[in-house]
C-alpha cells in the first residue's frame, strides 16, 4: 500500500510525484480497486500540474501534498522571453518516468499524455497571473511573442511524449 508523503519532508513530497516506482505502485493500487465496466479502461495519468511544461521553459515547480504550483521566474517580457530547453533535466526525467510506466504496463493500463494545456497557462506559471494580465494589457505584442515561443516548444515536447506513449497502431 502506498503511503502519503511525509508533509515535513520536501524531498519525500517531490519523490512522491517523480519516482517512477512510486508512481506506478500508487496507480496500480488504485487500478486494482476499480471495476472497469462498459467502455471504461484503466489509465495512468502522471501528474506534473496543468501546464507543467512551464518547467521546460525555466519554471520552478513546488511540490505539495496534493498539488504542484510554480514560482514565477519571468518578471519582464522585454528582458526575459520564455526559451525551451530540449536538454532540460526535468523533461528527461519525466520522459523516463513515462517510459518506465509504458515498459511496465504489460497490457494492464494505458499511459496518458501529460496535461500540457495552453501556452498562456504555462506563461502564467512563469510570470504569475497578475503580472501576465498586466502585460496582456500593457504589452500584448510581447505576450504574443512569448506565447508563440511556448507553442513552438510545446510542439516538440508533445511529439516527445507521444513517441513514448503511442501504441503499435499509433494510438495513445
Amino acid at each position: 500500500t502506498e503511503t502519503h508523503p511525509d508533509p515535513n519532508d520536501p524531498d519525500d513530497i517531490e519523490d512522491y510525484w517523480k519516482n517512477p516506482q512510486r508512481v506506478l505502485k500508487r496507480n496500480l493500487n488504485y487500478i486494482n480497486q476499480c471495476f472497469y465496466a462498459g467502455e471504461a479502461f484503466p489509465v495512468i495519468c502522471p501528474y506534473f500540474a496543468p501546464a507543467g511544461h512551464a518547467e521546460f521553459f525555466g519554471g520552478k515547480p513546488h511540490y505539495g501534498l496534493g498539488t504542484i504550483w510554480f514560482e514565477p521566474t519571468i518578471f519582464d517580457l522585454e528582458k526575459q522571453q520564455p526559451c525551451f530547453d530540449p536538454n532540460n533535466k526535468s523533461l528527461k526525467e519525466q520522459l523516463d518516468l513515462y517510459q518506465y510506466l509504458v515498459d511496465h504496463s504489460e497490457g494492464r493500463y494505458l499511459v496518458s499524455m501529460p496535461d500540457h494545456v495552453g501556452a498562456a497557462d504555462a506563461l502564467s506559471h512563469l510570470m504569475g497571473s497578475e503580472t501576465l494580465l498586466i502585460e496582456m494589457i500593457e504589452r500584448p505584442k510581447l505576450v504574443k511573442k512569448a506565447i508563440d515561443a511556448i507553442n513552438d516548444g510545446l510542439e516538440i515536447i508533445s511529439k516527445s511524449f507521444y513517441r513514448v506513449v503511442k501504441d503499435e497502431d499509433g494510438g495513445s
Side-chain angles (χ1 to χ4, degrees), residues 93-111:
E93 288 174 349
Q94 288 184 28
L95 287 167
D96 288 348
L97 181 146
Y98 273 71
Q99 189 64 62
Y100 179 88
L101 295 173
V102 168
D103 290 346
H104 289 80
S105 67
E106 300 170 350
R108 297 176 290 180
Y109 56 83
L110 300 174
V111 180

Side-chain angles (χ1 to χ4, degrees), residues 29-51:
N29 183 45
Y30 175 79
I31 286 169
N32 291 332
Q33 294 178 36
C34 292
F35 173 69
Y36 295 94
E39 296 179 5
F41 52 89
V43 62
I44 294 180
C45 306
Y47 183 74
F48 290 98

